[in-house]
Amino acid sequence: EISAFPGLNSLLKGHRPGELTVITGPTGSGKTTFLSQYSLDLSMNGVNTLFGSFEIPRDVFVNRMIKQYIGRQRGHADEPDGNSITKDDLAQAANSFTQLDMNVMKHFGATPIDEVLDIMDDLVNTSELNHVIIDNLQFMMGMNGQSGAKEYYNQFQAQDLLLDKFRQFATSKNVHITICVHPRKTDINLPLTINDFFGSAKATQEADNVIILQSLSDNSKYLEVKKNRYDGSLGELPLGFQKECNSFVDLSSFADTIRMKRRHDADNIDVMTAIA
């Protein structure tokens, strides 16, 4: 279960071994922040978790996650922004943080898929690994900045190959894998759809769960479950943000209020229908 996001948990009914989840969102929407918090929550609930941070160096990523960890210990949703995190706070939290069932790969940037799978396989055999998070697929592939039809065609093929291998690993090793995939270039003023994942349709076809971190022009954000193979429950989870601890806050209990406000602000156009 995902205790930090009860609204998401009520939709997905938890994470099951052997499943594949894919997530996307606009650039700068907070995908890495969410995935860091999501993995931290899993590990704090006894789920042996491996995080592959291929976009952000390991030291930087872990430091950000420790701030989120401090927020969880304090109960960040109730903390005032002025309650700053000191160096002593970080040092003390780091000691208990190392006791969590959390591993972060040392790899950064382009990394061969077989190296990643070897690390995953070793942890399955030695530590009973339960959940793997890949952030993100394009940085792991190392194919950023290419252009032209032929290059994109080859990139789509390469991405499909990686998705195949992750899918096979999840099924054969009974491990849940969550993969962040960049979106296609779209109108930034419109919410993303299930067709806006970069590459072919394979990512969303292979996935058991499809999640989009939506970021609207009014700076509001929400998680949208677009596919749920387990029981078909779909919906949206409004999010707040606590800057001091770099963490999202589940606002699903305020969904009706937010929906009404959005309708008023958009001249009665329902921009977001939040489902608790």
Side-chain angles (χ1 to χ4, degrees), residues 2-258:
I2 316 164
S3 59
F5 300 98
L8 181 61
N9 197 61
S10 69
L11 290 172
L12 295 180
K13 313 299 188 295
H15 286 86
R16 288 148 292 279
E19 286 189 347
L20 178 68
T21 295
V22 295
I23 181 170
T24 194
T27 299
S29 60
K31 297 184 292 297
T32 296
T33 297
F34 168 74
L35 288 172
S36 171
Q37 190 176 351
Y38 164 93
S39 62
L40 178 63
D41 185 81
L42 290 170
S43 64
M44 291 180 72
N45 282 289
V47 178
N48 196 310
T49 305
L50 172 66
F51 199 107
S53 176
F54 300 98
E55 184 174 1
I56 298 175
R58 184 172 184 260
D59 290 348
V60 176
F61 173 79
V62 170
N63 187 63
R64 293 180 182 179
M65 183 179 281
I66 290 174
K67 288 184 178 180
Q68 293 179 329
Y69 180 56
I70 293 171
R72 282 296 299 273
Q73 291 178 316
R74 290 180 175 178
H76 65 72
D78 300 321
E79 286 293 318
D81 288 343
N83 195 349
S84 60
I85 296 174
T86 66
K87 289 183 179 180
D88 287 341
D89 292 332
L90 290 171
Q92 291 175 13
N95 291 329
S96 57
F97 178 81
T98 58
Q99 304 303 312
L100 297 176
D101 290 325
M102 168 68 68
N103 292 279
V104 180
M105 293 186 198
K106 294 181 180 178
H107 295 71
F108 169 67
T111 306
I113 179 64
D114 289 342
E115 287 188 24
V116 175
L117 294 177
D118 284 346
I119 293 169
M120 292 163 56
D121 192 50
D122 182 61
L123 288 173
V124 167
N125 295 326
T126 61
S127 305
E128 299 183 354
L129 180 66
N130 305 124
H131 200 124
V132 179
I133 298 172
I134 301 297
D135 181 30
N136 59 59
L137 193 62
Q138 280 71 31
F139 272 82
M140 197 192 93
M141 290 168 59
M143 294 185 174
N144 299 288
Q146 293 191 14
S147 60
K150 183 176 180 180
E151 289 171 335
Y152 272 107
Y153 176 71
N154 290 336
Q155 190 171 356
F156 287 2
Q157 286 183 314
Q159 179 171 305
D160 286 353
L161 176 62
L162 267 60
L163 288 166
D164 264 334
K165 291 192 173 187
F166 280 127
R167 170 81 268 181
Q168 291 169 17
F169 188 97
T171 302
S172 64
K173 302 295 183 178
N174 207 32
V175 171
H176 194 110
I177 300 179
T178 297
I179 302 175
C180 182
V181 180
H182 273 321
R184 299 174 186 271
K185 291 183 178 180
T186 60
D187 186 338
I188 61 174
N189 296 311
L190 297 176
L192 296 178
T193 73
I194 199 169
N195 299 316
D196 290 327
F197 280 72
F198 183 82
S200 70
K202 190 173 187 66
T204 54
Q205 289 173 349
E206 288 285 348
D208 298 283
N209 308 299
V210 175
I211 302 172
I212 300 177
L213 175 54
Q214 302 281 13
S215 183
L216 304 181
S217 57
D218 63 358
N219 295 319
S220 60
K221 301 180 191 293
Y222 63 98
L223 288 173
E224 184 173 12
V225 176
K226 301 292 288 186
K227 180 180 179 180
N228 175 358
R229 189 169 280 162
Y230 179 67
D231 76 348
S233 297
L234 307 177
E236 299 170 1
L237 168 68
L239 299 172
F241 192 75
Q242 211 284 335
K243 292 182 180 179
E244 185 62 44
C245 297
N246 194 40
S247 298
F248 286 107
V249 180
D250 183 341
L251 297 178
S252 57
S253 61
F254 305 104
D256 290 339
T257 300
I258 292 171

